[in-house]
Amino acid sequence: QRQMCIRDRYYVVRKDGSQICVYFSSGSGSEVKLETTDILYDLLPLDDQKAFEEGVKVNTQEELAALLQDFES
């Protein structure tokens, strides 16, 4: 049985329909939706829209909080 390393865990902020949602992966390969953000996709610059379509991956809750704070008004 493989040990889960902390580096296998990550968060992804990704577009889901018309909303931007936060997902978490514990390293098992599956992602769990944690929350729907208040980020308004349609008001984002095109570069940011493209990034969220692909998914923005961060490794810690601190990085996630900083990312969300940058985009949530």
Side-chain angles (χ1 to χ4, degrees), residues 22-67:
V22 177
Y23 299 85
F24 175 73
S25 175
S26 61
S28 62
S30 62
E31 294 176 356
V32 178
K33 185 191 245 182
L34 292 183
E35 67 174 300
T36 300
T37 71
D38 295 328
I39 300 168
L40 298 174
Y41 176 81
D42 292 335
L43 299 181
L44 293 173
L46 284 176
D47 285 348
D48 292 333
Q49 287 183 359
K50 187 173 191 311
F52 284 122
E53 282 177 24
E54 294 172 1
V56 179
K57 186 174 173 179
V58 294
N59 295 313
T60 66
Q61 284 186 305
E62 290 79 13
E63 290 173 359
L64 176 63
L67 174 70

Side-chain angles (χ1 to χ4, degrees), residues 5-20:
C5 294
I6 193 126
R7 70 174 180 271
D8 292 334
R9 299 172 51 196
Y10 62 87
Y11 299 88
V12 177
V13 184
R14 182 185 301 120
K15 179 178 185 268
D16 181 12
S18 62
Q19 300 173 311
I20 306 288

